[in-house]
Amino acid sequence: MKISILLSVIFILSFFLLFWFIHHENKKEQNKDNLLILIVVAILFSVIITFVIAFFLFLILGSANVIDTIFSLHINTNHLIVIGISFLIYWITIDNIFEKFFEYLWGENIYAVLSVALSRVASFYIIGIIIKLNEVTNMSISIGVSLILLAIDVLYFFKNNKS
């Protein structure tokens, strides 16, 4: 239920923002498009944005679920969803700031990737404290999800830096 509400809010917000943007840009052109075309385009792009965010949400939820299963933490589904949504909000917003900061500090190398992973562990741990996870669960989920995201980042880093 929480996931569907989140994805519905994301779809509605992206639809209204995209419709406003497309309508505003359409006013500048000589050949104005039909209102129905603008609505269809806004819906299409909103669906794409919602699917991408849903993919990342399910990636984080799957990671947390794997860590829960491996370490037998017995976290209920609603708590996993809250953890996943909280981690996703952090990952989409603040994590990018840390990533750019470490790339500026270290350059685009493996040290920046590892620094981002350490900042994720600390941030996920703080998020776990805020949502009141117990100590063992919080540490396991924070480190586990960060390691899975680190594996994805390292694969992406080595794929793009073949020399």
Side-chain angles (χ1 to χ4, degrees):
M1 183 69 176
K2 293 177 185 177
I3 293 175
S4 61
I5 291 172
L6 175 72
L7 294 177
S8 299
V9 167
I10 289 170
F11 174 78
I12 291 168
L13 285 175
S14 63
F15 170 75
F16 283 124
L17 289 173
L18 285 169
F19 179 75
W20 174 81
F21 177 74
I22 293 169
H23 185 66
H24 180 70
E25 291 297 316
N26 190 37
K27 286 181 182 179
K28 295 179 183 178
E29 296 180 12
Q30 286 180 333
N31 299 334
K32 307 255 188 266
D33 291 326
N34 188 359
L35 185 63
L36 181 63
I37 293 173
L38 298 178
I39 291 173
V40 168
V41 168
I43 288 173
L44 179 69
F45 283 115
S46 297
V47 166
I48 292 170
I49 290 169
T50 305
F51 279 147
V52 168
I53 291 176
F55 172 76
F56 287 123
L57 177 62
F58 290 129
L59 175 85
I60 291 175
L61 280 174
S63 301
N65 196 18
V66 165
I67 300 303
D68 178 40
T69 304
I70 289 173
F71 294 112
S72 300
L73 300 173
H74 306 294
I75 303 172
N76 64 18
T77 306
N78 287 334
H79 221 88
L80 275 175
I81 291 171
V82 170
I83 292 167
I85 291 172
S86 303
F87 286 5
L88 178 72
I89 291 170
Y90 165 79
W91 194 29
I92 290 175
T93 56
I94 301 170
D95 189 61
N96 290 319
I97 296 169
F98 282 129
E99 185 176 350
K100 293 302 176 193
F101 173 73
F102 289 125
E103 283 180 3
Y104 174 76
L105 190 64
W106 299 108
E108 290 188 25
N109 58 27
I110 197 69
Y111 297 120
V113 175
L114 294 174
S115 298
V116 169
L118 288 175
S119 72
R120 282 182 189 146
V121 170
S123 300
F124 289 168
Y125 187 77
I126 292 169
I127 290 170
I129 291 172
I130 292 171
I131 60 176
K132 298 184 181 2
L133 291 176
N134 68 33
E135 194 69 30
V136 174
T137 303
N138 192 7
M139 188 62 72
S140 301
I141 293 290
S142 299
I143 293 173
V145 173
S146 296
L147 284 176
I148 292 171
L149 294 177
L150 174 65
I152 294 169
D153 285 345
V154 166
L155 289 173
Y156 181 77
F157 175 77
F158 285 128
K159 178 183 176 255
N160 286 340
N161 293 324
K162 289 182 180 177
S163 332

